[in-house]
Amino acid sequence: AQSVSQHNHHVILSEAASLELGCNYSYGGTVNLFWYVQYPGQHLQLLLKYFSGDPLVKGIKGFEAEFIKSKFSFNLRKPSVQWSDTAEYFCAVNPNNAGNMLTFGGGTRLMVKP
Amino acid sequence: EAGVVQSPRYKIIEKKQPVAFWCNPISGHNTLYWYLQNLGQGPELLIRYENEEAVDDSQLPKDRFSAERLKGVDSTLKIQPAELGDSAVYLCASSPPTRIGEQFFGPGTRLTVL
């Protein structure tokens, strides 16, 4: 079965610092990749997605993620974080032959200090 | 569009008592999911419905958990009897047929078993 690893469980940054959250998955076939975000007191929502094509994808609020197939990675980045980016971030994998199934990583809790 | 609705938002029960959670997905979404989310972890799939049919319930502890989705719309997840280890957030999500991997989550029900 596939698995998703997010090695950074907690990250604390100051505003304007750059962000990179790691995500690695174990699955040998073709996958679709997602980052979901959960802001404090809110429900999980989609941040960005990768299906195919340009491995650098851009999402909402200035976030981007890069798919590196050889490393089985899909890291999330943002050049300059804001206090409002404080949230929990989840990487998720959808194997191409698995319909709408998602396997989530354990999440990374980001705190941005004003 | 209206989001996924779940009730109750919070539930506190004593062990060995039954409990039920209700979910109303977004209109037109044929796929419905129930997830379990423990503190500090990512969502883990319990059961997935395609319309009325449960197509993946391999992770549902069937000795105490049951679910139904009558008429392919609302769904109910039940635990009977509840155990201390069932304390968690129970998330419901739905997705339309054309957006693979994109799931829309409800606010969740936080269950505390005493």
Side-chain angles (χ1 to χ4, degrees):
Chain A
Q2 64 270 17
S3 66
V4 182
S5 297
Q6 294 181 243
H7 304 294
N8 311 104
H9 298 292
H10 292 90
V11 174
I12 301 175
L13 296 172
S14 297
E15 275 195 315
S18 64
L19 169 72
E20 181 160 2
L21 301 182
C23 172
N24 289 91
Y25 64 92
S26 63
Y27 184 74
T30 305
V31 296
N32 303 311
L33 297 158
F34 303 81
W35 277 95
Y36 280 78
V37 61
Q38 187 167 23
Y39 297 102
Q42 298 187 28
H43 54 268
L44 268 167
Q45 55 190 285
L46 182 67
L47 188 60
L48 52 76
K49 60 188 178 185
Y50 172 79
F51 286 151
S52 62
D54 188 343
L56 184 63
V57 293
K58 296 188 183 299
I60 59 173
K61 303 185 179 184
F63 284 91
E64 62 180 31
E66 184 175 14
F67 170 51
I68 302 180
K69 188 176 181 179
S70 60
K71 295 185 178 180
F72 297 88
S73 70
F74 189 55
N75 291 356
L76 181 70
R77 301 196 293 247
K78 186 171 183 178
S80 176
V81 294
Q82 300 173 311
W83 176 78
S84 58
D85 294 324
T86 295
E88 191 157 17
Y89 294 81
F90 295 92
C91 181
V93 172
N94 164 243
N96 249 8
N97 62 354
N100 280 324
M101 293 289 295
L102 284 178
T103 299
F104 285 88
T108 296
R109 191 176 294 273
L110 171 67
M111 178 183 294
V112 180
K113 299 184 294 183
Chain B
E1 60 184 0
V4 176
V5 179
Q6 289 187 248
S7 69
R9 294 292 310 278
Y10 304 90
K11 188 73 176 179
I12 301 174
I13 61 172
E14 294 188 344
K15 63 181 180 181
K16 300 185 181 180
Q17 294 300 305
V19 65
F21 314 124
W22 175 81
C23 173
N24 180 240
I26 294 172
S27 178
H29 286 195
N30 61 318
T31 309
L32 184 146
Y33 315 77
W34 283 103
Y35 288 92
L36 166 73
Q37 186 175 21
N38 286 305
L39 189 64
Q41 298 182 25
E44 299 171 31
L45 183 70
L46 289 172
I47 188 168
R48 174 170 66 106
Y49 284 93
E50 296 286 350
N51 300 305
E52 306 87 6
E53 183 182 0
V55 295
D56 187 349
D57 62 356
S58 58
Q59 301 304 311
L60 189 72
K62 298 181 183 63
D63 57 335
R64 297 185 300 108
F65 286 65
S66 64
E68 61 181 9
R69 189 183 185 196
L70 300 176
K71 300 181 181 179
V73 182
D74 295 3
S75 178
T76 303
L77 178 69
K78 298 178 181 178
I79 309 175
Q80 182 171 13
E83 297 179 351
L84 295 176
D86 296 332
S87 294
V89 176
Y90 292 82
L91 295 169
C92 180
S94 67
S95 62
T98 56
R99 293 159 75 172
I100 298 296
E102 292 187 48
Q103 299 181 12
F104 296 78
F105 284 82
T109 297
R110 183 176 297 278
L111 173 67
T112 302
V113 182
L114 303 176

